[in-house]
Amino acid sequence: MTFFHAIKNKFEHNQQPSFNSTQDVSITMDRRTIYRNRTNYGVNLGSLFVLESWIFDDIFNEVGGGNTELDAVSKCQAKLNSQETANKLRQHYESYLNKIDWNFLRDRANITSLRVPIGYWHVNNGAFLQGLPFEQLASVYQDARPWDYLKQLVNTAGQNNISVLIDLHGLPGGANDQAHSGAINNPPMFFKTPAFVSKVCDQILPFIASDICIPFENIAGLQIVNETYFDNNANDIKAYYARAIANISKVDNTLPVVISDGWWSEQWSNWLVDNKLEGNAVIDTHVYRCFSNEDKGKDAGTIINQLPSTVVLPKDRADFTIGEFSCVLDEETWKRTQGDRNVHVSNFGVMQTTIFPKVASFGWYFWTLQFKWGDGGEWGFIPMVSKNNLVLRSKNVVPIDQNKVNQIVIDHIAYWKDKGNKFEHWRFEDAIRQAVNDISSFNQFNNSRVGRWRSWTLRRRGEYIRAKGDSEFMWEWDQGYQKGLDEFNH
């Protein structure tokens, strides 16, 4: 008996139909697929590789200052020598990695992922530095072996069912004018320097994809830039994104490529849709409420109450991640705020981490994990988790009620019963059952949730059409799959 006749029989004779899924399209649901497509609850490893003096000041103190890693390591090389400088970097990497509390991350914070900022100078231990600003430090990074330590980190994370988002945080010439690019570039020149773009697109990114993203199954994605500056036209940035995505896809066409939103999310969701790249890319947006003059002019309660209306992303057009956020508010905000600061901080963190999973399908990454001195306070992941200031991932797997699935299908048919003469309701059932199967498969791996909703749905939709043909009634498939996600993917 076909599904439609079963439904018809139920309504005419009040009998329960037989619900056998007609879905015969499948993806190999391996761990790599889930790592790349789940919703993440994560933390940044700030200043593990890309050094920032306010987080870890070891190298900076050695030379009496310096604003960037290029400054500090160059001065250290001049003061000591390349080998001693490499030793100091290696000591930093080892100390940082040894202090990671994997039990806390896995069992208390229940994270799924780490975002790891690196610089182009770290890739393959400085092997790509010819003609680039860090060239004179190639021997230092060759001996310091940051790439080896990164692989060690990825391997250990995998043993704990945790993925790694490789974030090419520092680009030659800079994507912005901040010290976290490894060197201060004012104005930033990366996108306008063809030699830099070619080096990154044609050599560095393909190497990262082939040398670390393919061998390790727990790579969540490859981020090709940290924070780009705002650009109304952004033609140079678009050219870089398109070229980078194309070159990475030649190596691995299912690897998520993460781009920056340049502080204008709609610009980049529209660009992805226009160029049919929604299936390839994730847009990274950063949510901070401590830097702008507008936020400094508000009290804490106002900022918190406005979060639902200020963290709004076009999630139906593209996949997003909150690559950085914290629980920090500016002191000007605190001067305007009455009441218990600890309560406000908690409310701020809870509100953010309640909103983020609803709008960012690739999830969130708190800034940051470790500090040389102290725990980081409202910048620190460990104290914010310990004080219950963040809504963490659920540890409970909720079984999917198949009776509810059946009822949703029946309700769909009933709704359209008197609204036309021809439908393909079997496509709705195929879709919702596929969604339920996908959700169950993700849940079985460490209680994961289907993420990258836009990309994942497009992928399933394409497979379905290849298997069962296109139709004017694919809207029923669309509704069915989305209904499955809405009802059961939480």
mmCIF file of all heavy atoms in Angstrom, residues 34-43 102 105-107 109-115 157-158 160-165 218-220 361-365 381 392-394 442 445-449:
data_model
loop_
_atom_site.group_PDB
_atom_site.id
_atom_site.type_symbol
_atom_site.label_atom_id
_atom_site.label_comp_id
_atom_site.label_asym_id
_atom_site.label_seq_id
_atom_site.Cartn_x
_atom_site.Cartn_y
_atom_site.Cartn_z
ATOM 1 N N ILE A 34 30.213 14.036 10.773
ATOM 2 C CA ILE A 34 29.582 14.679 11.927
ATOM 3 C C ILE A 34 30.461 15.796 12.467
ATOM 4 O O ILE A 34 29.972 16.885 12.788
ATOM 5 C CB ILE A 34 29.259 13.635 13.004
ATOM 6 C CG1 ILE A 34 28.196 12.657 12.474
ATOM 7 C CG2 ILE A 34 28.766 14.312 14.282
ATOM 8 C CD1 ILE A 34 27.863 11.523 13.413
ATOM 9 N N TYR A 35 31.761 15.560 12.551
ATOM 10 C CA TYR A 35 32.658 16.623 13.021
ATOM 11 C C TYR A 35 32.522 17.884 12.168
ATOM 12 O O TYR A 35 32.602 19.000 12.675
ATOM 13 C CB TYR A 35 34.112 16.151 12.958
ATOM 14 C CG TYR A 35 34.583 15.341 14.134
ATOM 15 C CD1 TYR A 35 35.172 14.088 13.939
ATOM 16 C CD2 TYR A 35 34.474 15.821 15.440
ATOM 17 C CE1 TYR A 35 35.641 13.337 15.022
ATOM 18 C CE2 TYR A 35 34.925 15.077 16.512
ATOM 19 C CZ TYR A 35 35.506 13.835 16.298
ATOM 20 O OH TYR A 35 35.952 13.107 17.365
ATOM 21 N N ARG A 36 32.332 17.716 10.873
ATOM 22 C CA ARG A 36 32.288 18.862 9.961
ATOM 23 C C ARG A 36 30.921 19.521 9.882
ATOM 24 O O ARG A 36 30.802 20.616 9.330
ATOM 25 C CB ARG A 36 32.698 18.423 8.554
ATOM 26 C CG ARG A 36 34.147 18.006 8.444
ATOM 27 C CD ARG A 36 34.519 17.612 7.021
ATOM 28 N NE ARG A 36 35.957 17.361 6.907
ATOM 29 C CZ ARG A 36 36.590 17.189 5.753
ATOM 30 N NH1 ARG A 36 35.908 17.246 4.615
ATOM 31 N NH2 ARG A 36 37.895 16.973 5.731
ATOM 32 N N ASN A 37 29.913 18.875 10.411
ATOM 33 C CA ASN A 37 28.550 19.363 10.185
ATOM 34 C C ASN A 37 27.715 19.523 11.448
ATOM 35 O O ASN A 37 26.533 19.856 11.348
ATOM 36 C CB ASN A 37 27.819 18.415 9.221
ATOM 37 C CG ASN A 37 28.398 18.450 7.826
ATOM 38 O OD1 ASN A 37 28.149 19.357 7.049
ATOM 39 N ND2 ASN A 37 29.221 17.455 7.494
ATOM 40 N N ARG A 38 28.293 19.332 12.623
ATOM 41 C CA ARG A 38 27.487 19.475 13.821
ATOM 42 C C ARG A 38 27.533 20.915 14.343
ATOM 43 O O ARG A 38 28.364 21.726 13.948
ATOM 44 C CB ARG A 38 27.939 18.506 14.903
ATOM 45 C CG ARG A 38 29.315 18.740 15.477
ATOM 46 C CD ARG A 38 29.642 17.659 16.519
ATOM 47 N NE ARG A 38 30.992 17.787 17.047
ATOM 48 C CZ ARG A 38 31.509 16.949 17.942
ATOM 49 N NH1 ARG A 38 30.783 15.936 18.396
ATOM 50 N NH2 ARG A 38 32.753 17.117 18.381
ATOM 51 N N THR A 39 26.601 21.212 15.234
ATOM 52 C CA THR A 39 26.604 22.493 15.922
ATOM 53 C C THR A 39 27.631 22.441 17.041
ATOM 54 O O THR A 39 27.642 21.504 17.841
ATOM 55 C CB THR A 39 25.213 22.802 16.500
ATOM 56 O OG1 THR A 39 24.271 22.875 15.433
ATOM 57 C CG2 THR A 39 25.229 24.119 17.252
ATOM 58 N N ASN A 40 28.505 23.441 17.085
ATOM 59 C CA ASN A 40 29.617 23.409 18.036
ATOM 60 C C ASN A 40 29.392 24.290 19.258
ATOM 61 O O ASN A 40 28.814 25.371 19.170
ATOM 62 C CB ASN A 40 30.905 23.833 17.336
ATOM 63 C CG ASN A 40 31.368 22.783 16.353
ATOM 64 O OD1 ASN A 40 31.573 21.633 16.719
ATOM 65 N ND2 ASN A 40 31.513 23.159 15.097
ATOM 66 N N TYR A 41 29.862 23.781 20.372
ATOM 67 C CA TYR A 41 29.980 24.529 21.615
ATOM 68 C C TYR A 41 31.464 24.492 21.931
ATOM 69 O O TYR A 41 31.989 23.441 22.298
ATOM 70 C CB TYR A 41 29.172 23.869 22.732
ATOM 71 C CG TYR A 41 27.675 23.916 22.534
ATOM 72 C CD1 TYR A 41 27.055 23.164 21.543
ATOM 73 C CD2 TYR A 41 26.884 24.717 23.354
ATOM 74 C CE1 TYR A 41 25.688 23.212 21.349
ATOM 75 C CE2 TYR A 41 25.507 24.768 23.181
ATOM 76 C CZ TYR A 41 24.914 24.011 22.170
ATOM 77 O OH TYR A 41 23.558 24.066 21.995
ATOM 78 N N GLY A 42 32.158 25.622 21.753
ATOM 79 C CA GLY A 42 33.601 25.541 21.821
ATOM 80 C C GLY A 42 34.268 26.735 22.461
ATOM 81 O O GLY A 42 33.630 27.666 22.953
ATOM 82 N N VAL A 43 35.586 26.691 22.424
ATOM 83 C CA VAL A 43 36.402 27.749 23.025
ATOM 84 C C VAL A 43 37.625 27.968 22.140
ATOM 85 O O VAL A 43 38.116 27.047 21.484
ATOM 86 C CB VAL A 43 36.818 27.370 24.463
ATOM 87 C CG1 VAL A 43 37.669 26.106 24.483
ATOM 88 C CG2 VAL A 43 37.549 28.519 25.142
ATOM 89 N N TRP A 102 41.771 18.447 29.769
ATOM 90 C CA TRP A 102 40.852 17.785 28.845
ATOM 91 C C TRP A 102 39.632 17.224 29.574
ATOM 92 O O TRP A 102 38.535 17.168 29.000
ATOM 93 C CB TRP A 102 41.579 16.681 28.078
ATOM 94 C CG TRP A 102 42.592 17.236 27.130
ATOM 95 C CD1 TRP A 102 43.947 17.323 27.318
ATOM 96 C CD2 TRP A 102 42.332 17.826 25.851
ATOM 97 N NE1 TRP A 102 44.543 17.915 26.234
ATOM 98 C CE2 TRP A 102 43.586 18.236 25.316
ATOM 99 C CE3 TRP A 102 41.173 18.044 25.103
ATOM 100 C CZ2 TRP A 102 43.707 18.849 24.071
ATOM 101 C CZ3 TRP A 102 41.275 18.657 23.862
ATOM 102 C CH2 TRP A 102 42.530 19.049 23.352
ATOM 103 N N LEU A 105 37.249 20.167 29.889
ATOM 104 C CA LEU A 105 36.638 20.520 28.603
ATOM 105 C C LEU A 105 35.612 19.477 28.182
ATOM 106 O O LEU A 105 34.522 19.816 27.715
ATOM 107 C CB LEU A 105 37.723 20.658 27.531
ATOM 108 C CG LEU A 105 38.705 21.813 27.696
ATOM 109 C CD1 LEU A 105 39.749 21.781 26.580
ATOM 110 C CD2 LEU A 105 37.981 23.160 27.708
ATOM 111 N N ARG A 106 35.957 18.208 28.337
ATOM 112 C CA ARG A 106 35.086 17.130 27.869
ATOM 113 C C ARG A 106 33.899 16.895 28.792
ATOM 114 O O ARG A 106 32.751 16.770 28.326
ATOM 115 C CB ARG A 106 35.911 15.836 27.755
ATOM 116 C CG ARG A 106 35.144 14.658 27.184
ATOM 117 C CD ARG A 106 35.967 13.375 27.303
ATOM 118 N NE ARG A 106 36.215 13.024 28.702
ATOM 119 C CZ ARG A 106 37.432 12.943 29.241
ATOM 120 N NH1 ARG A 106 38.503 13.201 28.515
ATOM 121 N NH2 ARG A 106 37.567 12.619 30.530
ATOM 122 N N ASP A 107 34.142 16.851 30.092
ATOM 123 C CA ASP A 107 33.109 16.397 31.022
ATOM 124 C C ASP A 107 32.358 17.527 31.719
ATOM 125 O O ASP A 107 31.159 17.401 31.981
ATOM 126 C CB ASP A 107 33.734 15.487 32.085
ATOM 127 C CG ASP A 107 34.397 14.260 31.476
ATOM 128 O OD1 ASP A 107 33.928 13.799 30.418
ATOM 129 O OD2 ASP A 107 35.395 13.781 32.051
ATOM 130 N N ALA A 109 32.638 21.194 30.798
ATOM 131 C CA ALA A 109 32.176 22.171 29.809
ATOM 132 C C ALA A 109 31.425 21.504 28.665
ATOM 133 O O ALA A 109 30.663 22.172 27.959
ATOM 134 C CB ALA A 109 33.361 22.966 29.269
ATOM 135 N N ASN A 110 31.664 20.203 28.468
ATOM 136 C CA ASN A 110 30.951 19.421 27.449
ATOM 137 C C ASN A 110 31.098 20.040 26.064
ATOM 138 O O ASN A 110 30.150 20.078 25.281
ATOM 139 C CB ASN A 110 29.468 19.302 27.822
ATOM 140 C CG ASN A 110 28.796 18.116 27.150
ATOM 141 O OD1 ASN A 110 29.456 17.142 26.789
ATOM 142 N ND2 ASN A 110 27.489 18.200 26.964
ATOM 143 N N ILE A 111 32.297 20.539 25.748
ATOM 144 C CA ILE A 111 32.488 21.197 24.455
ATOM 145 C C ILE A 111 32.584 20.173 23.330
ATOM 146 O O ILE A 111 32.842 18.984 23.548
ATOM 147 C CB ILE A 111 33.738 22.088 24.437
ATOM 148 C CG1 ILE A 111 35.020 21.257 24.523
ATOM 149 C CG2 ILE A 111 33.697 23.127 25.541
ATOM 150 C CD1 ILE A 111 36.270 22.029 24.145
ATOM 151 N N THR A 112 32.393 20.654 22.118
ATOM 152 C CA THR A 112 32.552 19.811 20.933
ATOM 153 C C THR A 112 33.753 20.218 20.105
ATOM 154 O O THR A 112 34.184 19.462 19.237
ATOM 155 C CB THR A 112 31.313 19.906 20.018
ATOM 156 O OG1 THR A 112 31.222 21.234 19.475
ATOM 157 C CG2 THR A 112 30.042 19.573 20.776
ATOM 158 N N SER A 113 34.300 21.424 20.321
ATOM 159 C CA SER A 113 35.279 21.934 19.362
ATOM 160 C C SER A 113 36.205 22.971 19.981
ATOM 161 O O SER A 113 35.856 23.633 20.967
ATOM 162 C CB SER A 113 34.530 22.557 18.169
ATOM 163 O OG SER A 113 35.404 22.839 17.091
ATOM 164 N N LEU A 114 37.382 23.117 19.367
ATOM 165 C CA LEU A 114 38.347 24.158 19.696
ATOM 166 C C LEU A 114 38.609 24.984 18.443
ATOM 167 O O LEU A 114 38.803 24.423 17.361
ATOM 168 C CB LEU A 114 39.674 23.550 20.166
ATOM 169 C CG LEU A 114 39.648 22.616 21.366
ATOM 170 C CD1 LEU A 114 41.004 21.950 21.541
ATOM 171 C CD2 LEU A 114 39.256 23.366 22.631
ATOM 172 N N ARG A 115 38.604 26.296 18.582
ATOM 173 C CA ARG A 115 39.045 27.166 17.486
ATOM 174 C C ARG A 115 40.487 27.563 17.797
ATOM 175 O O ARG A 115 40.763 28.121 18.855
ATOM 176 C CB ARG A 115 38.152 28.397 17.378
ATOM 177 C CG ARG A 115 38.534 29.369 16.250
ATOM 178 C CD ARG A 115 37.465 30.458 16.147
ATOM 179 N NE ARG A 115 37.722 31.460 15.112
ATOM 180 C CZ ARG A 115 38.209 32.684 15.337
ATOM 181 N NH1 ARG A 115 38.535 33.048 16.575
ATOM 182 N NH2 ARG A 115 38.385 33.537 14.352
ATOM 183 N N ALA A 157 42.798 16.131 20.868
ATOM 184 C CA ALA A 157 41.390 16.542 20.825
ATOM 185 C C ALA A 157 40.526 15.411 20.281
ATOM 186 O O ALA A 157 39.444 15.126 20.811
ATOM 187 C CB ALA A 157 41.235 17.801 19.986
ATOM 188 N N GLY A 158 41.001 14.760 19.231
ATOM 189 C CA GLY A 158 40.239 13.660 18.649
ATOM 190 C C GLY A 158 40.022 12.515 19.618
ATOM 191 O O GLY A 158 38.968 11.868 19.612
ATOM 192 N N ASN A 160 39.395 12.818 22.540
ATOM 193 C CA ASN A 160 38.342 13.259 23.457
ATOM 194 C C ASN A 160 37.046 13.622 22.721
ATOM 195 O O ASN A 160 36.176 14.284 23.281
ATOM 196 C CB ASN A 160 38.848 14.466 24.254
ATOM 197 C CG ASN A 160 39.901 14.085 25.274
ATOM 198 O OD1 ASN A 160 39.583 13.640 26.367
ATOM 199 N ND2 ASN A 160 41.172 14.241 24.911
ATOM 200 N N ASN A 161 36.926 13.189 21.463
ATOM 201 C CA ASN A 161 35.743 13.474 20.632
ATOM 202 C C ASN A 161 35.525 14.971 20.432
ATOM 203 O O ASN A 161 34.385 15.430 20.297
ATOM 204 C CB ASN A 161 34.482 12.847 21.226
ATOM 205 C CG ASN A 161 34.529 11.333 21.219
ATOM 206 O OD1 ASN A 161 35.171 10.730 20.361
ATOM 207 N ND2 ASN A 161 33.869 10.715 22.184
ATOM 208 N N ILE A 162 36.614 15.720 20.408
ATOM 209 C CA ILE A 162 36.561 17.167 20.222
ATOM 210 C C ILE A 162 37.200 17.509 18.884
ATOM 211 O O ILE A 162 38.263 16.979 18.537
ATOM 212 C CB ILE A 162 37.289 17.887 21.376
ATOM 213 C CG1 ILE A 162 36.522 17.683 22.690
ATOM 214 C CG2 ILE A 162 37.462 19.374 21.086
ATOM 215 C CD1 ILE A 162 37.268 18.164 23.924
ATOM 216 N N SER A 163 36.564 18.382 18.140
ATOM 217 C CA SER A 163 37.096 18.775 16.838
ATOM 218 C C SER A 163 37.955 20.027 16.969
ATOM 219 O O SER A 163 37.988 20.677 18.017
ATOM 220 C CB SER A 163 35.959 19.032 15.846
ATOM 221 O OG SER A 163 35.255 20.224 16.184
ATOM 222 N N VAL A 164 38.640 20.368 15.872
ATOM 223 C CA VAL A 164 39.464 21.571 15.820
ATOM 224 C C VAL A 164 39.105 22.362 14.565
ATOM 225 O O VAL A 164 39.070 21.809 13.463
ATOM 226 C CB VAL A 164 40.968 21.224 15.809
ATOM 227 C CG1 VAL A 164 41.811 22.472 15.566
ATOM 228 C CG2 VAL A 164 41.370 20.550 17.119
ATOM 229 N N LEU A 165 38.816 23.642 14.769
ATOM 230 C CA LEU A 165 38.647 24.573 13.655
ATOM 231 C C LEU A 165 39.976 25.287 13.477
ATOM 232 O O LEU A 165 40.405 26.052 14.347
ATOM 233 C CB LEU A 165 37.528 25.573 13.952
ATOM 234 C CG LEU A 165 37.368 26.740 12.969
ATOM 235 C CD1 LEU A 165 37.086 26.234 11.551
ATOM 236 C CD2 LEU A 165 36.254 27.683 13.426
ATOM 237 N N ASN A 218 38.945 14.745 12.731
ATOM 238 C CA ASN A 218 38.262 15.660 13.659
ATOM 239 C C ASN A 218 38.553 17.129 13.368
ATOM 240 O O ASN A 218 38.487 17.970 14.267
ATOM 241 C CB ASN A 218 38.614 15.332 15.106
ATOM 242 C CG ASN A 218 40.092 15.530 15.437
ATOM 243 O OD1 ASN A 218 40.952 15.093 14.687
ATOM 244 N ND2 ASN A 218 40.383 16.171 16.562
ATOM 245 N N ILE A 219 38.835 17.469 12.115
ATOM 246 C CA ILE A 219 38.943 18.871 11.726
ATOM 247 C C ILE A 219 37.545 19.370 11.360
ATOM 248 O O ILE A 219 36.911 18.846 10.446
ATOM 249 C CB ILE A 219 39.908 19.063 10.545
ATOM 250 C CG1 ILE A 219 41.332 18.650 10.954
ATOM 251 C CG2 ILE A 219 39.887 20.509 10.068
ATOM 252 C CD1 ILE A 219 41.939 19.497 12.047
ATOM 253 N N ALA A 220 37.079 20.383 12.075
ATOM 254 C CA ALA A 220 35.726 20.906 11.840
ATOM 255 C C ALA A 220 35.664 21.766 10.597
ATOM 256 O O ALA A 220 34.622 21.845 9.929
ATOM 257 C CB ALA A 220 35.253 21.710 13.048
ATOM 258 N N SER A 361 24.285 28.090 13.009
ATOM 259 C CA SER A 361 24.179 26.641 12.859
ATOM 260 C C SER A 361 25.493 25.917 13.119
ATOM 261 O O SER A 361 25.499 24.733 13.443
ATOM 262 C CB SER A 361 23.673 26.297 11.459
ATOM 263 O OG SER A 361 24.574 26.768 10.465
ATOM 264 N N PHE A 362 26.620 26.617 12.960
ATOM 265 C CA PHE A 362 27.926 26.007 13.206
ATOM 266 C C PHE A 362 28.362 26.204 14.659
ATOM 267 O O PHE A 362 29.410 25.731 15.076
ATOM 268 C CB PHE A 362 28.965 26.614 12.252
ATOM 269 C CG PHE A 362 30.189 25.762 12.020
ATOM 270 C CD1 PHE A 362 30.088 24.535 11.397
ATOM 271 C CD2 PHE A 362 31.440 26.211 12.415
ATOM 272 C CE1 PHE A 362 31.230 23.752 11.169
ATOM 273 C CE2 PHE A 362 32.587 25.446 12.192
ATOM 274 C CZ PHE A 362 32.484 24.215 11.569
ATOM 275 N N GLY A 363 27.563 26.945 15.438
ATOM 276 C CA GLY A 363 27.788 27.046 16.863
ATOM 277 C C GLY A 363 28.639 28.230 17.292
ATOM 278 O O GLY A 363 28.781 29.209 16.567
ATOM 279 N N TRP A 364 29.192 28.145 18.513
ATOM 280 C CA TRP A 364 29.930 29.271 19.099
ATOM 281 C C TRP A 364 31.242 28.837 19.709
ATOM 282 O O TRP A 364 31.430 27.683 20.089
ATOM 283 C CB TRP A 364 29.086 30.009 20.133
ATOM 284 C CG TRP A 364 28.476 29.234 21.285
ATOM 285 C CD1 TRP A 364 27.152 28.891 21.431
ATOM 286 C CD2 TRP A 364 29.127 28.751 22.478
ATOM 287 N NE1 TRP A 364 26.955 28.233 22.626
ATOM 288 C CE2 TRP A 364 28.150 28.137 23.288
ATOM 289 C CE3 TRP A 364 30.443 28.793 22.941
ATOM 290 C CZ2 TRP A 364 28.437 27.549 24.531
ATOM 291 C CZ3 TRP A 364 30.749 28.209 24.180
ATOM 292 C CH2 TRP A 364 29.738 27.595 24.952
ATOM 293 N N TYR A 365 32.168 29.831 19.799
ATOM 294 C CA TYR A 365 33.489 29.633 20.394
ATOM 295 C C TYR A 365 33.800 30.822 21.310
ATOM 296 O O TYR A 365 33.935 31.947 20.844
ATOM 297 C CB TYR A 365 34.577 29.545 19.314
ATOM 298 C CG TYR A 365 34.469 28.332 18.410
ATOM 299 C CD1 TYR A 365 33.642 28.347 17.289
ATOM 300 C CD2 TYR A 365 35.211 27.175 18.660
ATOM 301 C CE1 TYR A 365 33.547 27.246 16.452
ATOM 302 C CE2 TYR A 365 35.127 26.068 17.831
ATOM 303 C CZ TYR A 365 34.293 26.108 16.722
ATOM 304 O OH TYR A 365 34.201 25.017 15.885
ATOM 305 N N PHE A 381 37.221 31.364 29.802
ATOM 306 C CA PHE A 381 36.224 30.310 29.628
ATOM 307 C C PHE A 381 36.047 29.498 30.904
ATOM 308 O O PHE A 381 34.915 29.193 31.304
ATOM 309 C CB PHE A 381 36.661 29.392 28.480
ATOM 310 C CG PHE A 381 35.679 28.305 28.140
ATOM 311 C CD1 PHE A 381 34.430 28.620 27.624
ATOM 312 C CD2 PHE A 381 36.016 26.972 28.306
ATOM 313 C CE1 PHE A 381 33.529 27.615 27.283
ATOM 314 C CE2 PHE A 381 35.123 25.960 27.970
ATOM 315 C CZ PHE A 381 33.872 26.283 27.452
ATOM 316 N N LEU A 392 25.553 25.515 28.560
ATOM 317 C CA LEU A 392 26.376 24.503 27.926
ATOM 318 C C LEU A 392 25.533 23.482 27.178
ATOM 319 O O LEU A 392 24.311 23.431 27.319
ATOM 320 C CB LEU A 392 27.232 23.814 28.990
ATOM 321 C CG LEU A 392 28.113 24.753 29.832
ATOM 322 C CD1 LEU A 392 28.857 23.967 30.900
ATOM 323 C CD2 LEU A 392 29.094 25.519 28.952
ATOM 324 N N ARG A 393 26.219 22.676 26.413
ATOM 325 C CA ARG A 393 25.553 21.643 25.619
ATOM 326 C C ARG A 393 24.922 20.599 26.530
ATOM 327 O O ARG A 393 25.513 20.197 27.538
ATOM 328 C CB ARG A 393 26.602 20.989 24.711
ATOM 329 C CG ARG A 393 26.087 20.020 23.700
ATOM 330 C CD ARG A 393 27.206 19.663 22.731
ATOM 331 N NE ARG A 393 28.267 18.903 23.375
ATOM 332 C CZ ARG A 393 28.466 17.591 23.201
ATOM 333 N NH1 ARG A 393 27.640 16.905 22.418
ATOM 334 N NH2 ARG A 393 29.470 16.986 23.784
ATOM 335 N N SER A 394 23.752 20.164 26.167
ATOM 336 C CA SER A 394 23.058 19.156 26.967
ATOM 337 C C SER A 394 23.787 17.821 26.902
ATOM 338 O O SER A 394 24.331 17.429 25.867
ATOM 339 C CB SER A 394 21.628 18.969 26.458
ATOM 340 O OG SER A 394 21.000 17.876 27.101
ATOM 341 N N PHE A 442 23.468 11.742 14.328
ATOM 342 C CA PHE A 442 24.298 12.730 15.015
ATOM 343 C C PHE A 442 24.235 12.515 16.525
ATOM 344 O O PHE A 442 25.257 12.573 17.217
ATOM 345 C CB PHE A 442 23.838 14.149 14.660
ATOM 346 C CG PHE A 442 24.460 14.714 13.411
ATOM 347 C CD1 PHE A 442 24.155 14.201 12.167
ATOM 348 C CD2 PHE A 442 25.354 15.767 13.484
ATOM 349 C CE1 PHE A 442 24.716 14.720 11.007
ATOM 350 C CE2 PHE A 442 25.929 16.297 12.341
ATOM 351 C CZ PHE A 442 25.610 15.766 11.098
ATOM 352 N N PHE A 445 26.551 9.959 18.136
ATOM 353 C CA PHE A 445 27.960 10.283 18.326
ATOM 354 C C PHE A 445 28.085 11.408 19.340
ATOM 355 O O PHE A 445 27.937 12.588 19.029
ATOM 356 C CB PHE A 445 28.627 10.678 17.010
ATOM 357 C CG PHE A 445 30.069 11.096 17.196
ATOM 358 C CD1 PHE A 445 30.976 10.243 17.805
ATOM 359 C CD2 PHE A 445 30.505 12.343 16.794
ATOM 360 C CE1 PHE A 445 32.293 10.624 17.998
ATOM 361 C CE2 PHE A 445 31.825 12.735 16.981
ATOM 362 C CZ PHE A 445 32.723 11.872 17.583
ATOM 363 N N ASN A 446 28.286 11.035 20.578
ATOM 364 C CA ASN A 446 28.567 12.002 21.643
ATOM 365 C C ASN A 446 27.485 13.070 21.751
ATOM 366 O O ASN A 446 27.760 14.233 22.037
ATOM 367 C CB ASN A 446 29.938 12.657 21.393
ATOM 368 C CG ASN A 446 30.504 13.317 22.630
ATOM 369 O OD1 ASN A 446 30.207 12.911 23.744
ATOM 370 N ND2 ASN A 446 31.310 14.341 22.428
ATOM 371 N N ASN A 447 26.244 12.669 21.515
ATOM 372 C CA ASN A 447 25.097 13.573 21.672
ATOM 373 C C ASN A 447 25.248 14.843 20.833
ATOM 374 O O ASN A 447 24.975 15.961 21.289
ATOM 375 C CB ASN A 447 24.916 13.943 23.148
ATOM 376 C CG ASN A 447 23.536 14.512 23.434
ATOM 377 O OD1 ASN A 447 22.587 14.241 22.712
ATOM 378 N ND2 ASN A 447 23.427 15.298 24.490
ATOM 379 N N SER A 448 25.657 14.683 19.581
ATOM 380 C CA SER A 448 25.820 15.824 18.676
ATOM 381 C C SER A 448 24.484 16.223 18.066
ATOM 382 O O SER A 448 23.519 15.458 18.067
ATOM 383 C CB SER A 448 26.808 15.471 17.559
ATOM 384 O OG SER A 448 28.072 15.130 18.085
ATOM 385 N N ARG A 449 24.446 17.454 17.545
ATOM 386 C CA ARG A 449 23.256 17.967 16.866
ATOM 387 C C ARG A 449 23.604 18.334 15.430
ATOM 388 O O ARG A 449 24.721 18.797 15.153
ATOM 389 C CB ARG A 449 22.725 19.220 17.582
ATOM 390 C CG ARG A 449 22.218 18.959 18.993
ATOM 391 C CD ARG A 449 20.947 18.125 19.017
ATOM 392 N NE ARG A 449 20.518 17.821 20.380
ATOM 393 C CZ ARG A 449 20.865 16.727 21.055
ATOM 394 N NH1 ARG A 449 21.669 15.841 20.486
ATOM 395 N NH2 ARG A 449 20.430 16.526 22.275
#
